[in-house]
Amino acid sequence: MTPGRPPLRAAVIGAGFIGLDHAAAYAADPGAELVAVVDPEVDRAAAAAAIHGARAYSSVPAMVTGSAPDVVSVCVPTALHLPIVLECAAAGLHVLLEKPMAASVADCDAIDDACRAAGLTLMVGLTHRFHRELIEARELIAGGAIGQPTMVQDVFAFGEHGPWPAWYYDRRLSGGGELMHDAVHLVDRLAWLIDSPIVEVYGRTTTGVRGLAGVEDGGVAVLSFADGTIGSLFVFEASHPLRSDAASVPMPGRLELEIHGERGSIRYRTWHELIIDLAGAPSRTVTGVARDELPREIAEFLAAVREGRPPSVGAAEGRRGIAVVQSIYESERIGRPVRVDELFPAATR
Ligand SMILES: NC(=O)c1ccc[n+]([C@@H]2O[C@H](COP(=O)([O-])OP(=O)(O)OC[C@H]3O[C@@H](n4cnc5c(N)ncnc54)[C@H](O)[C@@H]3O)[C@@H](O)[C@H]2O)c1
């Protein structure tokens, strides 16, 4: 806690897989006090609240009346991000919104508009920006260690570790399949690492594993970045187990990013190790790094609210990820590359 400042009162909306982690992170942060957990599945809200001495509610309005928080984490199914954020903005609550920002670019804009009009902080939970290994990689690239990036690749092929909740496979609630759930991290981290936006995509998707109508369980895309870098992404959710890289990796499989430049390459085996190969230097591996990305994301949100400044990851970054993923869907539909800004002109704000 900042000396002389009371902790910010925090509530978590959605007591599912990621909401429980948000609740634990607020409870552990000296700058916050977890006061409430909301879920229409009241047993879930009650169980999460009981762990941390918070109060449980079945709806946002009841929570606002009963616990008057300052800040909220929104951890509900993706298509519910818009209506829940609108409720929070109307109540004057600062919002940390889980990724993907929303089920459509139009929803992203409506969320951004509502928070701006109310003068509220809006942060988007693109957690990979808080991986210590990726922060080191970004600093190396920005400092010129690999020279101009030329090619990048990011792969998230993971073995099923238990079925996801049913809404993940319902496009009306999720906005899409693996591209929305995981590629949204990849397109964000690639563009952020090389500091250049993705401007064109050529994508294909498959429903080959589950055959679910309209929700892909795999996808590939060729990516073109504004600075001339080219790259690819590959996401796949197997229904069989895949071997884990290491016990520390929560999603077993191949979860691997590569950035190649004129003078060096950086490889990140996600949640496991960062491998740095620079011309004229021995290979260096960074491993055993603390897995504290979500607590540090929440600390950044609390600091941004307290300091009245924009958070490090906001609506523009959240919207960009949705625009890129939705452009990959459009590319699959028409069978040609798609320019992201032609399909989704940049918002003028
Ligand atoms: N940052 C990450 O890496 C990461 C990881 C997992 C999930 N997520 C995102 O977090 C969000 C939630 O995903 P999840 O895996 O925790 O899903 P989940 O199904 O495990 O949890 C969602 C919870 O929201 C509750 N809910 C539904 N409607 C609600 C409402 N109106 N008010 C309050 N609660 C409501 C559900 O009952 C459920 O308990 C999604 O947008 C998902 O994409 C992000």
Side-chain angles (χ1 to χ4, degrees):
M1 181 178 36
T2 310
R5 306 278 293 270
L8 291 166
R9 295 170 63 77
V12 171
I13 304 172
F17 171 71
I18 205 74
L20 296 180
D21 287 350
H22 281 248
Y26 283 117
D29 192 310
E33 179 190 1
L34 182 73
V35 295
V37 180
V38 183
D39 203 301
E41 304 275 343
V42 284
D43 290 351
R44 285 189 200 173
I51 295 169
H52 303 295
R55 292 181 63 185
Y57 298 91
S58 62
S59 74
V60 173
M63 178 273 289
V64 171
T65 304
S67 286
D70 304 302
V71 302
V72 291
S73 277
V74 174
C75 305
V76 299
T78 304
L80 302 180
H81 287 189
L82 173 59
I84 294 286
V85 174
L86 293 183
E87 284 187 302
C88 295
L93 309 178
H94 302 284
V95 175
L96 171 55
L97 175 60
E98 260 302 344
K99 60 55 53 181
M101 181 172 171
S104 68
V105 172
D107 279 13
C108 293
D109 288 339
I111 286 171
D112 190 17
D113 287 345
C115 292
R116 279 173 188 274
L120 298 165
T121 300
L122 171 65
M123 179 163 168
V124 178
L126 288 160
T127 336
H128 290 244
R129 292 198 182 209
F130 295 87
H131 286 225
R132 291 176 185 271
E133 298 92 333
L134 290 179
I135 292 168
E136 178 167 351
R138 186 168 190 264
E139 284 169 0
L140 283 167
I141 295 165
I146 67 167
Q148 171 64 40
T150 53
M151 292 191 72
V152 301
Q153 172 174 275
D154 212 342
V155 175
F156 242 60
F158 64 93
E160 191 170 66
H161 48 91
W164 296 115
W167 68 264
Y168 272 65
Y169 305 105
D170 179 347
R171 183 175 283 271
R172 290 164 304 171
L173 286 171
S174 60
E178 255 308 284
L179 287 163
M180 283 293 276
H181 297 310
D182 285 313
V184 83
H185 279 307
L186 309 191
V187 299
D188 180 70
R189 70 186 195 171
L190 287 172
W192 172 68
L193 281 164
I194 68 166
D195 197 23
S196 184
I198 294 168
V199 292
E200 185 181 273
V201 298
Y202 186 19
R204 297 296 313 272
T205 64
T206 178
T207 59
V209 173
R210 287 176 185 74
L212 293 168
V215 182
E216 78 285 356
D217 37 33
V220 293
V222 174
L223 311 171
S224 303
F225 295 77
D227 69 356
T229 304
I230 59 172
S232 67
L233 70 80
F234 179 110
V235 287
F236 180 63
E237 181 192 349
S239 57
H240 52 273
L242 295 180
R243 201 198 71 176
S244 185
D245 270 349
S248 63
V249 178
M251 293 168 67
R254 180 159 175 253
L255 312 161
E256 196 159 322
L257 170 147
E258 293 177 18
I259 309 256
H260 302 287
E262 298 163 309
R263 293 191 296 279
S265 296
I266 293 180
R267 195 168 140 203
Y268 180 41
R269 301 174 77 203
T270 306
W271 289 293
H272 181 43
E273 63 183 5
L274 182 72
I275 303 163
I276 302 155
D277 291 301
L278 305 180
S283 181
R284 180 162 74 88
T285 300
V286 178
T287 190
V289 171
R291 293 274 59 95
D292 57 1
E293 37 273 355
L294 184 60
R296 292 190 316 108
E297 175 186 294
I298 283 180
E300 161 63 6
F301 171 55
L302 295 169
V305 170
R306 186 164 279 118
E307 295 162 18
R309 62 164 171 82
S312 59
V313 199
E317 292 82 2
R319 180 194 200 265
R320 188 79 195 169
I322 305 305
V324 171
V325 166
Q326 297 293 326
S327 296
I328 295 172
Y329 290 140
E330 178 64 4
S331 174
E332 158 77 16
R333 193 183 70 80
I334 65 175
R336 292 194 305 276
V338 166
R339 301 287 299 180
V340 179
D341 284 337
E342 285 175 13
L343 194 57
F344 298 108
T348 47
R349 289 186 164 78

Coordinates of all heavy atoms in Angstrom, one line a residue, residues 30 32 36 42 54 100 106 108 130 136 140 168 192 238 254 265-266 276 310 322 328 340:
P30 N -0.8 -5.7 -1.3 CA -1.0 -4.7 -0.2 C -1.7 -3.5 -0.6 O -2.3 -2.8 0.2 CB 0.4 -4.4 0.3 CG 1.3 -4.8 -0.8 CD 0.6 -5.9 -1.6
A32 N -4.5 -3.4 -2.4 CA -5.9 -3.7 -2.6 C -6.5 -4.5 -1.5 O -5.8 -5.1 -0.7 CB -6.0 -4.5 -3.9
A36 N -15.3 -8.3 -2.8 CA -16.5 -8.9 -3.3 C -16.1 -9.8 -4.5 O -15.2 -9.6 -5.2 CB -17.5 -7.9 -3.8
V42 N -24.0 -19.0 -7.7 CA -23.7 -18.4 -6.4 C -22.8 -19.3 -5.5 O -22.0 -18.7 -4.7 CB -25.0 -18.1 -5.6 CG1 -25.7 -16.9 -6.1 CG2 -26.0 -19.3 -5.6
A54 N -14.1 -12.2 1.6 CA -14.9 -11.2 0.9 C -16.4 -11.6 0.9 O -16.7 -12.6 1.4 CB -14.4 -11.1 -0.6
P100 N -9.9 -12.2 -24.5 CA -9.9 -11.2 -25.5 C -10.8 -10.1 -25.1 O -11.8 -10.3 -24.5 CB -10.4 -12.0 -26.7 CG -11.1 -13.2 -26.2 CD -10.6 -13.5 -24.9
A106 N -16.5 -3.9 -32.8 CA -17.6 -3.0 -32.4 C -17.8 -3.0 -30.9 O -18.0 -1.9 -30.3 CB -18.9 -3.3 -33.1
C108 N -15.5 -3.8 -28.7 CA -14.3 -3.1 -28.1 C -14.5 -1.6 -28.1 O -14.2 -0.9 -27.1 CB -13.0 -3.4 -28.9 SG -12.5 -5.1 -28.9
F130 N 3.5 -9.3 -19.2 CA 4.1 -9.3 -17.9 C 5.0 -10.5 -17.6 O 5.5 -10.6 -16.5 CB 3.0 -9.2 -16.8 CG 2.3 -7.8 -17.0 CD1 1.2 -7.7 -17.8 CD2 2.7 -6.7 -16.3 CE1 0.5 -6.5 -18.0 CE2 2.1 -5.5 -16.4 CZ 1.0 -5.4 -17.3
E136 N 12.4 -9.0 -21.0 CA 13.8 -9.0 -21.3 C 14.1 -9.0 -22.8 O 14.9 -8.3 -23.4 CB 14.5 -10.1 -20.6 CG 16.0 -10.2 -20.9 CD 16.8 -11.1 -20.0 OE1 16.3 -11.6 -19.0 OE2 18.0 -11.3 -20.4
L140 N 16.0 -6.3 -25.2 CA 17.1 -6.7 -26.1 C 16.8 -6.2 -27.5 O 17.7 -5.6 -28.2 CB 17.3 -8.2 -26.1 CG 18.0 -8.7 -24.8 CD1 17.9 -10.3 -24.8 CD2 19.5 -8.3 -24.8
Y168 N -16.7 -21.7 -24.4 CA -15.5 -21.6 -25.2 C -15.8 -22.1 -26.7 O -15.2 -21.6 -27.6 CB -14.3 -22.4 -24.7 CG -13.5 -21.7 -23.7 CD1 -13.9 -21.3 -22.5 CD2 -12.1 -21.4 -24.0 CE1 -13.1 -20.7 -21.5 CE2 -11.3 -20.8 -23.1 CZ -11.8 -20.5 -21.8 OH -10.9 -19.8 -20.9
W192 N 4.1 -6.4 -30.1 CA 4.7 -5.7 -29.0 C 6.2 -5.9 -28.9 O 7.0 -4.9 -28.7 CB 4.0 -6.1 -27.7 CG 4.6 -5.6 -26.4 CD1 4.6 -4.3 -26.0 CD2 5.2 -6.4 -25.4 NE1 5.2 -4.3 -24.7 CE2 5.6 -5.5 -24.4 CE3 5.5 -7.8 -25.3 CZ2 6.2 -6.0 -23.2 CZ3 6.1 -8.2 -24.1 CH2 6.5 -7.3 -23.1
A238 N -5.3 -29.8 -29.1 CA -5.5 -31.2 -29.3 C -6.5 -31.7 -28.3 O -6.7 -31.2 -27.2 CB -4.2 -31.9 -29.1
R254 N 3.5 -27.6 -27.3 CA 4.6 -26.8 -27.9 C 4.1 -25.3 -27.9 O 3.2 -25.0 -28.6 CB 5.0 -27.3 -29.2 CG 6.1 -26.5 -29.9 CD 6.8 -27.2 -31.0 NE 7.7 -26.3 -31.6 CZ 7.5 -25.7 -32.8 NH1 6.5 -26.0 -33.6 NH2 8.4 -24.9 -33.3
S265 N 18.9 -14.1 -32.7 CA 17.6 -14.8 -32.6 C 17.2 -14.9 -31.1 O 18.1 -15.1 -30.3 CB 17.6 -16.2 -33.2 OG 17.8 -16.1 -34.6
I266 N 16.0 -14.8 -30.9 CA 15.5 -15.0 -29.5 C 14.3 -16.0 -29.6 O 13.4 -15.9 -30.4 CB 15.0 -13.6 -28.9 CG1 16.2 -12.7 -28.7 CG2 14.3 -13.8 -27.6 CD1 15.9 -11.3 -28.2
I276 N 18.7 -17.0 -25.9 CA 19.2 -15.8 -26.6 C 20.5 -16.1 -27.4 O 21.5 -16.6 -26.8 CB 19.5 -14.6 -25.6 CG1 18.2 -14.3 -24.8 CG2 20.0 -13.4 -26.3 CD1 18.5 -13.7 -23.5
P310 N -2.9 6.4 -17.9 CA -3.3 5.2 -18.7 C -2.5 4.0 -18.2 O -1.3 4.1 -17.9 CB -2.9 5.6 -20.1 CG -2.7 7.1 -20.1 CD -2.3 7.5 -18.7
I322 N -8.2 -8.0 -31.4 CA -9.5 -8.5 -32.0 C -9.5 -8.2 -33.5 O -10.0 -9.1 -34.2 CB -10.7 -7.9 -31.2 CG1 -10.6 -8.1 -29.7 CG2 -12.0 -8.4 -31.8 CD1 -10.5 -9.5 -29.3
I328 N -8.2 -12.5 -39.7 CA -7.9 -13.9 -40.1 C -9.1 -14.7 -40.4 O -9.2 -15.4 -41.4 CB -7.1 -14.6 -38.9 CG1 -5.7 -13.9 -38.7 CG2 -6.9 -16.1 -39.2 CD1 -4.9 -14.4 -37.5
V340 N -5.6 -5.4 -42.4 CA -6.3 -5.2 -41.1 C -7.0 -3.9 -41.1 O -8.2 -3.7 -40.7 CB -5.4 -5.4 -39.9 CG1 -6.2 -5.2 -38.6 CG2 -4.7 -6.8 -39.9

